[in-house]
Amino acid sequence: MGKFVLGAVLALTLGAGTAFAEVPKPAAQAWSFNGVFGTFDRAALRRGLQVYTEVCAACHSLSLVYYRHLQSVGFSEEEIKTLAREFEVEDGPNDDGEMFTRPAKPTDPFASPFPNAQAARAANAGALPPDLSVMTKARKGGEDYLHAVLVGYRDEVPAGVEVMEGLFFNEYFSGQQIAMPPPLADGAVEYADGTKATVQQMSMDVVTFLAWAAEPTLEDRKRLGIKTLLFLLVLTAMLYALKRKIWSDVH
Amino acid sequence: MTSPTWNNPVVKWIEYRLPVFSFTQDHLIDYPTPKNLNYWWNFGSLAGITLTIMIVTGIVLAMHYTPHVDYAFESVERIMRDVNYGWLIRYVHMNGGSMFFAVVYIHIFRGLYYGSYKAPREMLWIIGIIILLTMMATAFLGYVLPWGQMSFWAATVITNMFSAFPLIGEPIVTWLWGGFSVDNPTLNRFFSLHYLLPFVIFALVFLHLWALHVHHSNNPLGIDTKGPQDTIPFHPYYTIKDLFGLGVFMLVFLGFVFFAPNFFVEPDNYIKANPMQTPTHIVPEWYLTPFYAILRAITFDIWFIPAKLIGVIAMFGSVLILVLVPWLDTSKVRSARYRPIYKQVYWFFLIDCIVLGWVGFNSPDAMFMGAVSFLRIGQVATAYYFLHLLVVLPVLGKLERPRSPPESISAAVTKDSDTVTEAA
Ligand code: HEM
């Protein structure tokens, strides 16, 4: 018992030293893909892809997504080819045994900014920008959390908080000090469709894109789900009626 | 009962050599079943169907899965993205695990309520517990396969448990790992065993049903059937009832699969395993959290036995002790309907198990409403778990004055028709 109390006291005092400020709960956003009938807003997806390629792709890979996957959300083969060609990927060895670089093809995964994790850390003051392929599923709060982090940077740090060298205050990141510099600023991209590129707008768009990247079959799933459940509902109702009829002579 | 004779020459030829036709007739069609079974009796067939679904989807997944630390996570994502309907197969298998446990837990608590474990169904019950143990092992092994953060750390924590045993502990852990940490050899053997165990469960279910068909089903009244007036043939009565139950079950199951497929998973498992980075808290799947809570409830050494070892023994003991329930419960009356006090402690025990499950989700030193630590709640709930089984059950059977059950099923059924509603 004495040992137990000692342990508890120890845990409390130790805990107090490293206690993080309470992180607020991310606010729920009205995502186009929410709900039973939700689908990805196609225009938002295009804008989100633009934000990803022009901003995030400088640091973050998206290695589980292939350029060809974009076809399922309305990109034409030509568009995909053009997009892929902008990136260089390593290939080989060729007949001389040499590795070489070539423009990416639709059958390649999204090109990674760094050849390996060490290079990524070296370029980011020791922090590793995580792969974003399944990011919306890999954090509590999902899309709402991602959006909250992207818009969660504050210029003035609350009193008493000491932000460490090379880190940035972010209200929603656990520990509230993040190694990612604020990635978005008003006008960071120029949208092809003329939408005003506010931080809020770009964040919503890029998170929509990342939600698609993490769950590209979401629309198929919901569509098949509605059909299947409706069918099952009718079938089950009929089975119930049949059960009542068959059992009507049991007393 | 007499089986019909068959006239088709092929059927006759086969029947003479291997009597599959009369077997089907006797065990699936004419099979006499108590006529008063309520919907809680649907869960056995649901468990069997879920097992089949798990095996079928699992075999398809194994065709596309790569059991290697460098490719496992990626191969699962390829299944989700590039295999035709791969997302459906994986989500069915993933949620199917949760559904399987939900169904089997209900099935077990049905047995506890109606005293289905009592003579002469002890073997049936014991095989059931062995099935439960095998299911837990299978689910744990399967959870490691996608090689996410929770996969890796759950594997590390659970295999490390064995190190609690003196002398043999460390060698056992090294042997389980196939090395000095959870690594590629561990993943390979876990895959092999995860493929094997469901077939072991299948064989056990066969024994389970064999035992069932010797003494037939118990029923909500907990009394023996006295003759043909108490029973109805399995087909069509229970085939249609089971089918209707299956429809309702599939609505729930597929509701999750299609509209909340990640409801039961920890987000951390979508992060690829990283041996250098421990997640802030490591939790098993919901169906194992009660046992995890028991494991962690023991924080004190008893005499010279270290806390960790007692925790491991308590955890395994909490399942194994169920084997003794037919003898721990000393009451001669099966159904809780006629046991006024048991009926209440039953619900208390059920709530206790749910509390354990909830505690297992939380970090032991987190405080509940700022007042009491989850560790303390877990300790009280663990104590009550064993108290219920080891003290309350035996003593209650001696002290309680049960009401007398009706003479026979048919007598009771003609008297009242509330058989379905009461159990709920
Ligand atoms: C793979 C898992 C299992 C399958 C497929 C399965 C299947 C079945 C089936 C089809 C029945 C007959 C229908 C019914 O009475 O509900 C049954 C009965 C029974 N099962 Fe299971 N079962 C499983 C696990 C368990 C477990 C873990 C236990 C608990 C110890 C258990 C205990 C029993 C008992 C006591 C009966 C007889 C119930 C009665 O007639 O009142 N079963 N099982």
Side-chain angles (χ1 to χ4, degrees), chain B residues 159-395:
Chain B
T159 47
N160 249 318
M161 266 174 8
F162 291 92
S163 69
F165 292 99
L167 300 175
I168 49 167
E170 293 294 340
I172 289 184
V173 174
T174 310
W175 177 74
L176 287 174
W177 285 342
F180 297 101
S181 65
V182 173
D183 207 333
N184 203 45
T186 327
L187 179 58
N188 272 290
R189 62 192 55 194
F190 277 23
F191 179 47
S192 171
L193 293 173
H194 182 68
Y195 208 136
L196 171 69
L197 289 187
F199 295 91
V200 173
I201 297 178
F202 207 88
L204 287 166
V205 169
F206 181 81
L207 293 179
H208 191 70
L209 292 179
W210 188 0
L212 175 73
H213 279 226
V214 175
H215 290 287
H216 295 199
S217 291
N218 180 32
N219 64 79
L221 301 178
I223 55 177
D224 293 333
T225 51
K226 302 271 154 53
Q229 72 282 7
D230 289 347
T231 66
I232 44 180
F234 192 79
H235 182 74
Y237 296 103
Y238 285 105
T239 40
I240 185 63
K241 194 172 175 183
D242 280 348
L243 271 177
F244 165 59
L246 178 63
V248 175
F249 170 66
M250 288 312 276
L251 278 168
V252 176
F253 184 174
L254 294 180
F256 279 111
V257 167
F258 286 118
F259 296 106
N262 292 304
F263 182 82
F264 296 106
V265 288
E266 279 296 312
D268 271 16
N269 225 27
Y270 277 107
I271 305 171
K272 189 174 170 169
N274 180 356
M276 312 301 283
Q277 189 189 14
T278 321
T280 35
H281 64 272
I282 303 171
V283 283
E285 295 259 84
W286 69 267
Y287 42 77
L288 298 179
T289 51
F291 307 100
Y292 194 48
I294 293 176
L295 172 74
R296 294 192 301 181
I298 316 292
T299 48
F300 41 84
D301 303 345
I302 297 181
W303 202 23
F304 62 89
I305 313 173
K308 190 175 169 191
L309 181 58
I310 306 172
V312 172
I313 293 171
M315 188 188 76
F316 282 110
S318 66
V319 186
L320 289 174
I321 197 176
L322 296 173
V323 164
L324 297 178
V325 162
W327 296 276
L328 288 170
D329 183 349
T330 48
S331 171
K332 292 277 167 286
V333 175
R334 287 196 195 109
S335 174
R337 273 191 195 180
Y338 304 102
R339 300 186 57 191
I341 303 177
Y342 177 72
K343 197 179 193 161
Q344 309 201 0
V345 295
Y346 167 88
W347 291 109
F348 208 71
F349 181 64
L350 176 58
I351 292 168
D352 188 58
C353 292
I354 295 171
V355 168
L356 280 171
W358 166 66
V359 168
F361 263 117
N362 288 281
S363 149
D365 29 70
M367 302 297 276
F368 173 59
M369 306 198 29
V372 45
S373 70
F374 278 99
L375 173 65
R376 205 15 83 74
I377 303 177
Q379 288 174 333
V380 173
T382 301
Y384 186 75
Y385 181 91
F386 287 104
L387 188 78
H388 175 91
L389 295 172
L390 290 173
V391 180
V392 175
L393 277 188
V395 173

Side-chain angles (χ1 to χ4, degrees), chain A residues 1 15 32 38 43 59 62 82 92-93 99 111 130 147 178 186 209 216 222 241:
Chain A
M1 192 63 203
S32 54
C59 300
L62 195 66
T82 319
M99 300 303 282
H147 174 66
I178 190 168
D186 287 338
F209 171 70
K222 290 183 180 175

Side-chain angles (χ1 to χ4, degrees), chain A residues 20 23 60 124-130 132 135 139 145-154 157 161-184:
Chain A
F20 293 131
V23 175
H60 292 279
N124 284 281
L128 179 70
L132 295 182
M135 185 53 82
R139 292 291 182 277
Y145 166 77
L146 254 64
H147 174 66
V149 164
L150 290 176
V151 302
Y153 291 89
R154 299 285 173 268
V157 173
V161 177
E162 186 94 29
V163 180
M164 285 191 286
E165 179 70 32
L167 298 185
F168 302 84
F169 181 77
N170 188 307
E171 209 180 340
Y172 290 91
F173 188 68
S174 89
Q176 301 201 311
Q177 312 212 8
I178 190 168
M180 168 165 68
L184 298 171

Side-chain angles (χ1 to χ4, degrees), chain A residues 47-61:
Chain A
R47 292 193 300 268
L49 171 64
Q50 189 183 346
V51 176
Y52 170 76
T53 25
E54 289 177 20
V55 182
C56 322
C59 300
H60 292 279
S61 59

Side-chain angles (χ1 to χ4, degrees), chain B residues 16 41 78 145 149 159 210 242 288 306 337 401 407 412:
Chain B
Y16 182 68
W41 264 259
R78 266 194 95 92
L145 301 184
Q149 273 289 67
T159 47
W210 188 0
D242 280 348
L288 298 179
R337 273 191 195 180
R401 289 200 42 216
E407 267 314 296

Side-chain angles (χ1 to χ4, degrees), chain B residues 34-41 110 113-116 218-223 238 334-338 409 419-420 422-423:
Chain B
K35 61 189 194 182
N36 61 334
L37 299 186
N38 58 33
Y39 277 103
W40 300 112
W41 264 259
R110 184 281 318 262
Y113 190 85
Y114 295 109
S116 299
N218 180 32
N219 64 79
L221 301 178
I223 55 177
Y238 285 105
R334 287 196 195 109
S335 174
R337 273 191 195 180
Y338 304 102
I409 294 174
T419 42
V420 178
E422 188 183 320

